[in-house]
Amino acid sequence: MSLKHSLLVLLSGQPSTGYELSQKYKKAIGFFWQASHQQIYKQLKVLTEEGFLTFEEQRQQGKPDTKRYQITGEGLDELKRWLSSEVKPAKTNDALLVMLYAGTHVDRAVLVKEIQRHKALHEKNLKKLEAIQDLYFSLGKDQQKEYRFPYLTLKRGLLAEKAWLEWATEVIDELSDPNHDLE
Amino acid sequence: MSLKHSLLVLLSGQPSTGYELSQKYKKAIGFFWQASHQQIYKQLKVLTEEGFLTFEEQRQQGKPDTKRYQITGEGLDELKRWLSSEVKPAKTNDALLVMLYAGTHVDRAVLVKEIQRHKALHEKNLKKLEAIQDLYFSLGKDQQKEYRFPYLTLKRGLLAEKAWLEWATEVIDELSDPNHDLE
DNA sequence: CTGGCCATGTAATGCGTTACATGATTAG
DNA sequence: CTAATCATGTAACGCATTACATGGCCAG
């Protein structure tokens, strides 16, 4: 598993609190790694027990105390070890495609509506990614170089969403065509 | 979750044994839903207890007894109910992209090698899907109509793999270019 | 005054992976 | 003789989701 390693990656950049990390999962790397705040807080505890992280407690007014975690030397070693290991290809479990596969059992209008709902979500997602890309393009050359690797992953997200949308558009067209069954 | 529903979908086509189902996950729908044989055998038991499946036992020589499962009326109802529900978009957890994101911490050659390893896997996968597509194209019109929905999902697999490979090719090129850091 | 975001967690349950167990048949 | 495929499972563990718990701040 790599929740562990994605946390180490994020913390290798800068010390962060659980909340800040969970924001990064939502915004920066959410399109290729997702984790809930419950998972994150628990895993931070585990990683600390394993010696890969340490934290400082900070009191805040009106808010619960917070722990700012940072990676240890051991943590960095573990991260580097993992970065040279072989990882498994991402596994996909896509309920929408299961539905479509069984399309003969459903009313076509219902099916098309559900695909359209997903299409709207993917469009929203694509816009978010494009906004990040615009931000990247607006950086100076040096900064672009600094964010080169994140940018390569962003590109993946952009291409993946575009490919998804092209497919969905085709499918919706085909399933919406009233003449389709008639010949 | 939809392991449950993907099983109902597969069994709505024809009664099958656990092994046959696990083959279908590998071959027919594996590119959008994956399940191990351990999960399948366990879930078949659960679905039977819930009244969605029944089975007949069959003795075999030299092999363990086998159960051929079929969907019940209740199972079909449950399937149809699910097919009209809203499902969640597929979640992706892609360890390779986590690695790439942290690319500054790794030796570039190691990183490129790992991406190439994945590329080979995706190429193999694409070939499999293309073989299924060829099979589909070789069918008569009526049969093509019968497999229309599975074909739409197959198209998704093909487009997704092609998009992945284009991306990977670009990334490998860029990371392999020895002049890249020099300017 | 309501809903959303800030902010941190625990507990129960459900799902998925790895390891283990068994044993026959077939292809190289 | 060896590895792969056929064929069916159990058990332990690890990972993910859902529900619950708490409470302040801010915008409409």
Side-chain angles (χ1 to χ4, degrees):
Chain A
M1 83 107 174
S2 312
L3 168 56
K4 178 174 169 168
H5 299 104
S6 60
L7 280 168
L8 292 175
V9 168
L10 293 180
L11 287 165
S12 74
Q14 58 197 301
S16 316
T17 67
Y19 188 78
E20 285 163 3
L21 290 164
S22 97
Q23 291 312 100
K24 278 193 197 161
Y25 279 95
K26 258 190 215 155
K27 286 166 195 164
I29 67 167
F31 66 93
F32 63 84
W33 200 278
Q34 282 157 262
S36 66
H37 75 270
Q38 292 94 329
Q39 273 179 285
I40 293 163
Y41 286 117
K42 208 200 281 181
Q43 195 60 39
L44 287 171
K45 214 180 183 179
V46 173
L47 287 171
T48 304
E49 281 161 16
E50 290 175 338
F52 298 142
L53 303 181
T54 49
F55 62 85
E56 286 173 42
E57 257 183 313
Q58 297 177 318
R59 266 178 242 156
Q60 304 185 117
Q61 356 87 287
K63 295 176 189 176
D65 288 1
T66 192
K67 289 166 194 156
R68 187 162 296 274
Y69 288 90
Q70 56 176 311
I71 194 164
T72 63
E74 268 183 84
L76 256 179
D77 288 349
E78 168 58 24
L79 176 56
K80 284 190 179 154
R81 193 204 53 72
W82 179 75
L83 286 171
S84 301
S85 73
E86 296 194 344
V87 293
K88 285 187 206 162
K91 111 173 205 189
T92 54
N93 284 55
D94 187 332
L96 187 67
L97 288 179
V98 175
M99 268 191 174
L100 183 58
Y101 189 88
T104 45
H105 296 292
V106 215
D107 182 43
R108 263 226 315 271
V110 172
L111 190 54
V112 169
K113 211 179 150 190
E114 179 64 1
I115 300 173
Q116 261 159 348
R117 193 177 71 83
H118 281 252
K119 197 182 163 190
L121 297 171
H122 283 272
E123 274 161 357
K124 210 173 139 187
N125 217 346
L126 179 58
K127 271 178 200 160
K128 267 193 210 170
L129 298 179
E130 281 171 343
I132 302 175
Q133 191 182 34
D134 288 346
L135 222 141
Y136 175 78
F137 285 153
S138 75
L139 297 173
K141 260 204 160 176
D142 287 353
Q143 285 226 293
Q144 285 198 359
K145 217 171 231 173
E146 202 187 327
Y147 290 112
R148 183 183 173 201
F149 289 103
Y151 177 62
L152 290 176
T153 67
L154 180 66
K155 234 170 158 176
R156 171 69 194 129
L158 287 162
L159 291 172
E161 287 296 3
K162 281 180 197 162
W164 194 94
L165 286 167
E166 273 170 44
W167 170 81
T169 305
E170 262 184 60
V171 170
I172 290 169
D173 273 11
E174 199 189 314
L175 294 180
S176 303
D177 179 1
N179 295 316
H180 196 89
D181 306 309
L182 297 178
E183 351 124 25
Chain B
M1 87 105 173
S2 310
L3 167 57
K4 179 174 168 169
H5 298 105
S6 61
L7 280 168
L8 291 175
V9 167
L10 292 179
L11 287 165
S12 74
Q14 58 196 303
S16 316
T17 67
Y19 188 77
E20 284 163 4
L21 289 165
S22 96
Q23 291 312 100
K24 278 192 198 164
Y25 279 95
K26 259 191 218 154
K27 287 167 197 165
I29 66 167
F31 65 93
F32 62 85
W33 201 275
Q34 280 156 262
S36 66
H37 75 270
Q38 292 94 327
Q39 273 179 286
I40 293 163
Y41 285 117
K42 205 200 283 182
Q43 195 61 38
L44 287 170
K45 216 180 184 179
V46 173
L47 286 170
T48 305
E49 281 161 15
E50 290 175 336
F52 297 142
L53 302 179
T54 51
F55 62 85
E56 285 173 41
E57 258 183 313
Q58 295 178 322
R59 266 179 241 157
Q60 303 183 120
Q61 357 85 289
K63 295 175 192 177
D65 289 2
T66 193
K67 289 166 193 157
R68 186 162 297 272
Y69 288 89
Q70 57 176 311
I71 195 164
T72 62
E74 267 182 85
L76 257 180
D77 289 348
E78 169 59 22
L79 175 57
K80 283 187 180 155
R81 191 203 55 70
W82 179 76
L83 287 171
S84 301
S85 72
E86 297 193 341
V87 292
K88 285 187 207 162
K91 115 175 201 185
T92 55
N93 284 55
D94 188 330
L96 186 67
L97 289 180
V98 175
M99 268 190 173
L100 184 57
Y101 188 89
T104 46
H105 297 290
V106 216
D107 182 45
R108 261 225 320 269
V110 172
L111 190 55
V112 169
K113 210 180 154 193
E114 179 64 1
I115 300 173
Q116 260 159 350
R117 194 177 70 84
H118 282 251
K119 195 181 164 190
L121 296 172
H122 283 272
E123 272 162 357
K124 210 173 141 190
N125 216 345
L126 178 59
K127 270 180 199 157
K128 267 194 207 168
L129 295 179
E130 281 171 343
I132 303 176
Q133 190 182 35
D134 289 345
L135 221 142
Y136 174 78
F137 286 153
S138 76
L139 297 173
K141 260 205 163 177
D142 287 353
Q143 286 226 292
Q144 285 201 356
K145 216 171 235 173
E146 204 186 326
Y147 290 111
R148 184 186 173 198
F149 288 103
Y151 176 62
L152 291 176
T153 66
L154 179 66
K155 235 170 158 175
R156 171 69 195 132
L158 288 161
L159 291 172
E161 287 296 4
K162 281 180 197 163
W164 194 95
L165 286 167
E166 275 169 44
W167 170 81
T169 304
E170 263 182 61
V171 170
I172 291 168
D173 273 10
E174 199 189 315
L175 295 180
S176 303
D177 179 1
N179 295 318
H180 197 89
D181 306 307
L182 297 180
E183 353 125 23

